[in-house]
Amino acid sequence: MQSLSPRGMLVITLSLLLALVLSVLPLPKWALLFYPQWLPLVLLYWAIALPHRVSLGVAWLLGLLLDGLYGTVLGEHALALTVITFVAGKLYRQIRMFPILQQAFSMMMLIVLYQVILMWIQGIMGSLQDVRWFWVSAVVSMLFWPWVYTILRSCRRRFSVY
Amino acid sequence: MGLRFILLVLLSIALMVLDYREHYLTPVRNLLTGIVAPIQYAVNVPIQFINDTSSHLSSRQTLLSENTTLRANQLLMEAKLQKLIALENENTQLRALLTSSTRSDNEHITVAQLLAVSTDPLMSEVVLDKGQNDEVYVGQPVLDASGIMGQIAQVGPFTSRVLLLSDPRSAIPVQAVRNGIRGIVLGKGALGNLALTDIPITVDIRVGDILVSSGLGGHYPEGYPVGVVSRVRHDQGGQFAAIEVIPSAQLDRNQPVLLIWPTNKNLSIDAPAIQSEHKALIKPHHADERKE
């Protein structure tokens, strides 16, 4: 396995950093409901496209950063991101073969899993609030998947990140 | 891959237990807050820039009229302040006559700005642009112009996190202005709606009652507005009334907020500042200015 070119590293890091920035954009509470889960989307793309580059360690560190940004208990987002990256890493061969709509649907299922883990942990901590509409964000994320996929794939090809 | 997965999951669970149950990880958490602070400032800068530009572009006419209103307001405030100083002196004298324990009102106050970043949608928290470098401490009360907003939950090097009154983990001891009835206001997770709990149905609390902080518990300073009772429901057969409260502070606005260093927190660093008179007047925060 040859090592990642510095340019490739830069592309991956920048895209993940951009996803982090997008996930802390200030929005009113009602709009947050319709806001896609940027970090899981971008992370899942890399986990499926380059499973040997972006895998569990990266997911865990990103989750820890997200915990710092959101002020949640340390390890919460880290655990959730690690779990979905693990599942994506097991299934990446199938998911790559899926047509784009089916891919988007599997992304939605993974993001629902991500959110359920988060809510489960917050429930244990006793700080869970109204979660009736949590799935809306997962559906919006699904609608965003084709765009995320296309943009990141063209980036990956143009800068030949393998 | 499988082994690494199990290790990372166990590590996450260990982190969560240590952080939540035992609070062993405060240094780690503060370090992490320092690491992510650049991201938060990076998000904040363009948004502040847009706000600033739009205020630069506002017309001369609006600025003039705004200026006039502000001047009028300031005059009004100054008049009220004069009265307040007189009352404060009188109050101190009366208390001295009664030889009761003196209640100092000279808190030290500084102004902080909310960072325009979002936090976990499942929690009611906001991020301030002041941290350890400005001597912010955990548990410190945070106010805005119209009432108490919450308290500092966590302090990083350059930022700090405010737990708003609306968070389910927040509780504040209050008393009604009209009749001094005491109670505790809890957050319910909705920004515009708090709950006054454990008030028996026989107690006289009405819609429109103003609740101020009672200072019991020694956490929040005494006498600042917390909210107004908006709804009182007496359930048949229930022992306690279900009372809803609208917070006085605007929890959903991006405005400057006030950080208070109360006198009853016996912080040695603030001791000289507390001695000097009328520190309640808002001053820009400078460490050297406080050590007059």
Side-chain angles (χ1 to χ4, degrees):
Chain A
M1 189 168 92
Q2 90 200 89
S3 68
L4 190 59
S5 66
R7 200 172 47 175
M9 184 95 89
L10 192 69
V11 169
I12 296 178
T13 315
L14 277 183
S15 65
L16 290 171
L17 203 63
L18 184 68
L20 268 179
V21 165
L22 283 175
S23 30
V24 290
L25 273 195
L27 290 171
K29 227 166 175 156
W30 61 266
L32 276 176
L33 201 64
F34 299 96
Y35 200 56
Q37 306 276 338
W38 291 110
L39 192 63
L41 275 179
V42 174
L43 182 68
L44 283 174
Y45 173 78
W46 290 119
I48 289 161
L50 304 169
H52 53 289
R53 302 282 183 215
V54 177
S55 69
L56 300 176
V58 178
W60 192 80
L61 280 178
L62 280 171
L64 210 59
L65 284 180
L66 206 55
D67 283 327
L69 281 171
Y70 279 168
T72 44
V73 64
L74 288 185
E76 178 182 323
H77 288 85
L79 176 66
L81 283 180
T82 309
V83 171
I84 59 167
T85 311
F86 178 71
V87 177
K90 285 280 166 204
L91 300 176
Y92 74 93
R93 286 184 195 85
Q94 286 95 312
I95 295 177
R96 273 188 200 169
M97 292 301 128
F98 286 163
I100 190 89
L101 287 179
Q102 199 179 343
Q103 247 182 28
F105 184 74
S106 22
M107 289 307 123
M108 184 182 79
M109 295 319 283
L110 283 173
I111 285 172
V112 167
L113 174 66
Y114 167 77
Q115 287 177 304
V116 166
I117 294 172
L118 293 184
M119 289 186 296
W120 177 56
I121 294 168
Q122 288 184 348
I124 294 175
M125 304 288 168
S127 58
L128 193 59
Q129 298 180 7
D130 189 3
V131 294
R132 272 173 300 177
W133 300 101
F134 83 92
W135 51 269
V136 176
S137 168
V139 172
V140 176
S141 306
M142 175 178 82
L143 300 179
F144 271 78
W145 171 257
W147 280 274
V148 171
Y149 178 78
T150 318
I151 292 169
L152 285 178
R153 188 182 55 179
S154 64
C155 277
R156 185 168 67 84
R157 290 198 174 149
R158 165 170 295 201
F159 298 106
S160 52
V161 186
Y162 293 108
Chain B
M1 178 133 175
L3 185 66
R4 209 142 54 98
F5 174 65
I6 292 168
L7 271 177
L8 285 175
V9 167
L10 288 180
L11 189 57
S12 311
I13 293 173
L15 269 182
M16 283 189 274
V17 171
L18 285 177
D19 189 29
Y20 180 68
R21 290 267 170 233
E22 317 289 344
H23 300 284
Y24 283 142
L25 295 179
T26 317
V28 180
R29 180 169 272 282
N30 290 352
L31 180 72
L32 191 63
T33 315
I35 293 173
V36 297
I39 300 181
Q40 291 172 323
Y41 275 96
V43 173
N44 182 49
V45 163
I47 291 165
Q48 292 293 358
F49 179 74
I50 292 167
N51 285 347
D52 290 351
T53 334
S54 65
S55 70
H56 277 306
L57 295 178
S58 62
S59 74
R60 192 183 137 81
Q61 197 54 48
T62 11
L63 283 177
L64 276 177
S65 69
E66 192 182 71
N67 201 324
T68 324
T69 4
L70 285 177
R71 266 170 205 283
N73 263 339
Q74 202 202 354
L75 206 65
L76 217 68
M77 292 289 178
E78 270 171 8
K80 278 188 183 163
L81 194 63
Q82 286 171 18
K83 208 166 148 192
L84 183 74
I85 291 170
L87 282 174
E88 216 172 69
N89 284 335
E90 197 181 306
N91 199 324
T92 327
Q93 285 167 8
L94 287 174
R95 274 172 195 277
L97 281 178
L98 286 168
T99 60
S100 68
S101 60
T102 47
R103 184 189 114 194
S104 166
D105 287 325
N106 302 326
E107 290 124 350
H108 173 74
I109 299 183
T110 190
V111 181
Q113 199 78 40
L114 293 186
L115 283 188
V117 290
S118 138
T119 54
D120 192 319
L122 297 177
M123 298 202 284
S124 301
E125 288 189 352
V126 289
V127 182
L128 294 185
D129 67 344
K130 297 260 188 293
Q132 251 157 21
N133 295 352
D134 306 277
E135 291 161 11
V136 175
Y137 62 90
V138 172
Q140 183 169 22
V142 180
L143 278 74
D144 76 355
S146 41
I148 294 186
M149 288 182 80
Q151 58 175 307
I152 300 285
Q154 193 232 328
V155 183
F158 318 105
T159 53
S160 53
R161 217 165 257 288
V162 182
L163 184 73
L164 296 177
L165 288 183
S166 57
D167 195 282
R169 293 167 293 168
S170 156
I172 175 170
V174 295
Q175 62 184 24
V177 169
R178 187 165 57 85
N179 48 18
I181 286 169
R182 289 192 299 268
I184 290 180
V185 166
L186 300 179
K188 298 204 292 192
L191 275 182
N193 197 351
L194 312 174
L196 178 62
T197 57
D198 299 336
I199 298 290
I201 47 174
T202 49
V203 168
D204 174 29
I205 290 275
R206 292 184 217 148
V207 172
D209 274 356
I210 297 169
L211 304 174
V212 297
S213 55
S214 68
L216 293 178
H219 220 77
Y220 289 100
E222 182 185 344
Y224 286 94
V226 171
V228 180
V229 174
S230 64
R231 187 151 165 252
V232 181
R233 213 175 64 239
H234 294 239
D235 282 332
Q236 290 286 322
Q239 202 177 353
F240 298 105
I243 301 170
E244 289 179 12
V245 177
I246 296 174
S248 307
Q250 290 171 316
L251 301 180
D252 53 349
R253 301 282 167 78
N254 187 2
Q255 294 173 322
V257 301
L258 308 175
L259 286 167
I260 293 198
W261 280 263
T263 39
N264 55 0
K265 276 268 173 221
N266 34 21
L267 284 175
S268 51
I269 35 168
D270 277 353
I274 290 155
Q275 303 303 325
S276 59
E277 264 185 85
H278 305 310
K279 272 288 167 182
L281 302 180
I282 299 155
K283 286 195 170 178
H285 177 77
H286 288 302
D288 48 344
E289 217 179 275
R290 281 199 286 124
K291 291 175 186 139
E292 296 168 322

